[in-house]
Amino acid sequence: MEEISDRLFNDTTGNVESGNDDPSLLTIILDLSLKGWYNIKDLISIQDITKSLLVFLNGHLSLNNSNQVAFIVSSSKGSKFLYPDSTITGTRMAEDTGGQFPGMYRQFKMVDQAVLHQLNKFIEEVMAEEGGRATNTLTGALSMALTYTNRMLTLDQSITTTTASAMTTSTLESTSNNNATSSSSASASTTGMKSRVLIVSANDDDDIKYIPLMNCIFAAQKMKVSIDVAKLGHKNSSYLQQASDATKGVYLHIEDPKGIIQVLATAFFIEPNLRPYIILPTNSNVNYRASCFLTGKSVDLGYVCSVCLCIMSKLPDNGKCPACDSAFDKKIINELIREPQVISKKKRKLDNGNSATPTPS
């Protein structure tokens, strides 16, 4: 216990950003895989999960007036932004409520009404469309979240640069004798928006496309965006474990989702810049198995293309890489697909001309 206390409160050697005054962007991705939610229908419903997530978003907005949130829903029919949404504006909401929000912060009301209205509409559209093969579009939703994050970070950087330049100019005009001090103070006041993504999924089928997911992971690493995962259902997701571990996020398998609001308010409420100071739940058993490009299933033993490093559990029929279309050597393919053969030993002839059956050595 003393070692933990010393490491938490006395270790200041790490280069960790302190302070929590910088604006932060929180993006939530809700995976609406109907089969996964049907398996846990006796434990919790989509509406209850959504209400808990809205409480979580409101808590994030209450920390800082400059904080931003986004809500994306994903299903087999595609992905969609529930908030921000251009169809529900502040003017329309003011008309629906008489122009006032009694007993509730206006930003909370905007987020709650937009998410609930659009979610019900989206579920009706998904239920109305029948037939077709169900495909997982979670990677598409993650791409949308990273694209929106990049736009917000670019906008925040431009605003910060303009503000810092104006502060520097005004300071130089008022105090010409303290140029070095004003420049350092202006640079110190320049802050950047932090961002993170929270994925809530109940899908027990590991049918996420591996290549697009890895591209999203690389983009998140470059943008320094943490991917947190709240996995519901009965099984873990190896691909979401990889995404969380590679981006220094938090992965939790919540077996009893009835108390999910407590989990959201503790494990997932901590900002990434403050997580080095806090002992968070970790997952050391991360399954880093790759996925077959042809079948989409995890591969224990397979083939790798020497050009693009595409992983295959079986050789393609056309003899070409399914990713880069490179032609494989036919001789090597024949050697790989050749069935094992048993070579019989020749009989040894004796001096009298009779043959003898070979004995095992």
Side-chain angles (χ1 to χ4, degrees), residues 127-177:
M127 297 299 294
E129 298 180 4
E130 297 181 358
R133 183 181 178 183
T135 57
N136 194 306
T137 59
L138 187 59
T139 54
L142 185 56
S143 300
M144 294 172 59
L146 294 176
T147 303
Y148 180 75
T149 300
N150 182 66
R151 185 175 67 177
M152 294 299 294
L153 292 178
T154 304
L155 178 62
D156 178 74
Q157 185 178 4
S158 62
I159 294 176
T160 302
T161 304
T162 305
T163 305
S165 178
M167 292 176 58
T168 305
T169 303
S170 60
T171 306
L172 289 174
E173 291 178 355
S174 60
T175 56
S176 58
N177 296 329

Side-chain angles (χ1 to χ4, degrees), residues 48 57 78 91 117 146 159 168 179 186 196 217 221 309 324 329:
D48 294 336
L57 289 179
T91 304
H117 176 78
L146 294 176
I159 294 176
T168 305
N179 292 333
R196 55 194 171 105
I217 291 176
Q221 288 177 339
L309 301 180
C324 64
D329 192 348

Side-chain angles (χ1 to χ4, degrees), residues 231-351:
K231 179 63 179 65
L232 308 179
H234 306 290
K235 299 180 181 179
N236 280 305
S237 175
S238 60
Y239 296 149
L240 294 181
Q241 284 180 339
Q242 296 180 29
S244 178
D245 185 71
T247 57
K248 299 180 180 180
V250 177
Y251 177 92
L252 279 182
H253 181 205
I254 306 174
E255 298 180 359
D256 187 5
K258 295 180 180 179
I260 189 174
I261 187 61
Q262 299 178 0
V263 180
L264 294 174
T266 53
F268 297 108
F269 202 72
I270 308 300
E271 293 290 342
N273 61 329
L274 298 178
R275 291 178 180 180
Y277 296 105
I278 300 174
I279 300 178
L280 295 174
T282 58
N283 186 14
S284 58
N285 299 324
V286 180
N287 187 358
Y288 271 99
R289 288 189 301 174
S291 174
C292 175
F293 195 89
L294 297 174
T295 61
K297 299 180 179 180
S298 300
V299 178
D300 292 325
L301 183 63
Y303 307 95
V304 179
C305 176
S306 60
V307 178
C308 65
L309 301 180
C310 173
I311 300 175
M312 298 161 286
S313 60
K314 62 180 182 179
L315 292 174
D317 298 333
N318 57 359
K320 294 184 179 180
C321 176
C324 64
D325 202 32
S326 299
F328 298 141
D329 192 348
K330 294 183 179 180
K331 295 181 179 179
I332 298 178
I333 293 180
N334 293 332
E335 293 179 359
L336 292 175
I337 64 177
R338 185 179 60 183
E339 296 181 356
Q341 299 178 358
V342 179
I343 302 177
S344 60
K345 296 183 179 181
K346 295 182 180 181
K347 295 182 178 180
R348 181 170 55 87
K349 291 184 178 181
L350 301 177
D351 295 338

Side-chain angles (χ1 to χ4, degrees), residues 30-43:
L30 179 61
D31 186 9
L32 290 182
S33 299
L34 298 182
K35 182 179 178 181
W37 288 103
Y38 179 80
N39 294 333
I40 61 173
K41 61 182 179 62
D42 297 333
L43 298 177

